[in-house]
Amino acid sequence: MPERARRGAHRPPAMVDVAQHAGVSQKTVSRVVNGEPNVSPAVRERVLAAIDELGFRPNSAARALVTARSRVIGFVSTGSALYGPSQMAVGVEQAARAAGYTVVVVHTRSGDPGEVGAALDELAGRGVDGIVVSEPADSLRPLGHAPAGVPVLALEHRPDEPDDWLLVGADVRSGARAAVEHLLELGHETVWHVAGPEGWGTTRDRRLGWADALAAAGRPLPDVLRGDWSPASGFEAGSALADVPGLTAVFVANDEMAVGVVRALETCGLTVPHDVSVVGFDDVATAAYQHVPLTTVRQDFAEITSQGMALLFATIEGRPVPERRAAVPLQLVVRESTAPPHPARAAAPGGRGGEGDPTT
């Protein structure tokens, strides 16, 4: 007779059922469910197989009383549908589910320090085991320290930020620098930049990487144009850039805006990359399939969230954590939107310089 039938049609499986089915004690089942050590791999596999076969679902309230943990992760998000933030959200949710945690999300409208700080306090008040911040503001310092006893993971690479945060992300500043160096190595005299909106840490870091590369090469620092990460804002910036004498290269802070920039340049009678080379950032799924495949900087969002969440779980569960921050490598992906400058355009007079100190 099937196990479920012997238990009765209306009673859900309990821990005692799993123990009997796996031939172990209830204490062993409890250790497996709560991720505790001192269980051999063979026994753990047998218990997990019994859990799966019986359809056992641990009582989260009872488990919280035993472990003093809620097994709930708080997630602070801007609620953005943009590629990077959405990929981060998917990665956080998948990692949490695989580790036996659930996720509670608090959305902020802009991600400014005041809103993020209030979200941290709200989640800490709900008794979450840990908090993930997907898009921190320009700096984490105005947020103060992490809530007492609650580890906070920021999915960003910020070597100069508070020591009580866990920090895992791509070094986008070095990625931006590599993108600009690629264009300079092709022979472009300087590189213009379409930045993201103010208030985003990624905007700041990509602008700094752009400025680093130009300063190191002793090249002119053009004005910075700004967008809001959307193709429409990229199109607006590209339309303005089309009028710049001597323009041969543009580094755009994300791929969506880069698509808009390419479209605007072509609408104004220029071709990419014959007249103007364009580099984006992120390597979205469509970047390789544009009519001019886009050179871009690839971020491995799955690896960022995987490493970050593993670090967060280890901290929550009291396991050794060798490093509280990590940088995930980026990759420059060269496609058909970049080429050496056309001699006729390179010989044209350059644009005007500088919007002031780009590091601010």
Side-chain angles (χ1 to χ4, degrees):
M1 179 182 297
E3 191 71 24
R4 292 176 194 249
R6 285 201 300 268
R7 288 196 320 268
H10 301 293
R11 182 173 73 82
M15 193 174 291
V16 64
D17 300 314
V18 175
Q20 291 175 354
H21 196 71
V24 299
S25 68
Q26 290 188 54
K27 179 61 176 176
T28 298
V29 176
S30 176
R31 284 175 175 162
V32 172
V33 167
N34 293 310
E36 297 177 12
N38 304 321
V39 180
S40 71
V43 170
R44 187 181 301 275
E45 184 176 343
R46 197 161 74 242
V47 171
L48 290 174
I51 287 172
D52 184 61
E53 184 174 340
L54 297 178
F56 172 68
R57 295 293 179 268
N59 184 309
S60 59
R63 186 168 60 183
L65 290 174
V66 173
T67 64
R69 296 200 302 268
S70 66
R71 300 197 74 83
V72 176
I73 300 297
F75 183 55
V76 181
S77 171
T78 58
S80 174
L82 293 169
Y83 181 75
S86 65
Q87 292 298 299
M88 295 286 197
V90 169
V92 167
E93 185 177 8
Q94 289 178 341
R97 187 187 305 116
Y101 289 79
T102 57
V103 177
V104 174
V105 181
V106 173
H107 294 296
T108 63
R109 289 173 297 175
S110 63
D112 68 72
E115 282 191 283
V116 175
L120 291 176
D121 291 339
E122 177 184 344
L123 288 167
R126 295 189 188 186
V128 300
D129 290 335
I131 299 174
V132 182
V133 182
S134 67
E135 285 294 337
D138 246 353
S139 174
L140 305 175
R141 293 189 180 279
L143 301 177
H145 296 287
V150 182
V152 179
L153 165 69
L155 295 173
E156 291 279 350
H157 173 70
R158 304 287 186 82
D160 57 346
E161 293 290 359
D163 290 337
D164 56 345
W165 287 58
L166 304 169
L167 295 162
V168 177
D171 185 355
V172 297
R173 182 169 179 171
S174 68
R177 185 165 59 244
V180 176
E181 289 171 348
H182 164 66
L183 291 165
L184 296 178
E185 289 167 1
L186 287 172
H188 297 276
E189 174 63 21
T190 193
V191 178
W192 288 67
H193 182 42
V194 179
E198 287 284 10
W200 289 60
T202 50
T203 295
R204 172 181 175 270
D205 291 342
R206 294 173 203 199
R207 188 178 69 243
L208 289 173
W210 163 79
D212 289 345
L214 292 181
R219 302 300 176 83
L221 197 68
D223 292 339
V224 173
L225 289 80
R226 295 198 176 278
D228 61 8
W229 303 121
S230 70
S233 69
F235 186 90
E236 182 177 353
S239 299
L241 287 169
D243 293 330
V244 174
L247 173 81
T248 65
V250 185
F251 166 56
V252 189
N254 78 332
D255 290 344
E256 285 88 348
M257 289 195 299
V259 169
V261 167
V262 171
R263 176 62 176 162
L265 293 172
E266 293 178 338
T267 300
C268 294
L270 300 173
T271 60
V272 175
H274 181 268
D275 296 312
V276 182
S277 289
V278 177
V279 178
F281 206 105
D282 287 336
D283 196 23
V284 300
T286 58
Y289 302 100
Q290 299 296 314
H291 70 284
V292 181
L294 186 64
T295 295
T296 185
V297 179
R298 176 180 296 158
Q299 292 199 73
D300 190 340
F301 293 107
E303 183 62 21
I304 291 169
T305 53
S306 176
Q307 285 194 27
M309 294 301 284
L311 188 61
L312 180 62
F313 297 144
T315 303
I316 291 170
E317 295 164 9
R319 291 183 272 117
V321 176
E323 296 290 340
R324 294 180 62 83
R325 52 194 64 199
V328 176
L330 293 158
Q331 178 185 358
L332 177 67
V333 181
V334 179
R335 298 193 179 106
E336 296 172 29
S337 66
T338 52
H342 190 276
R345 286 192 64 80
R352 58 195 176 92
E355 63 163 359
D357 182 359
T359 65
T360 59

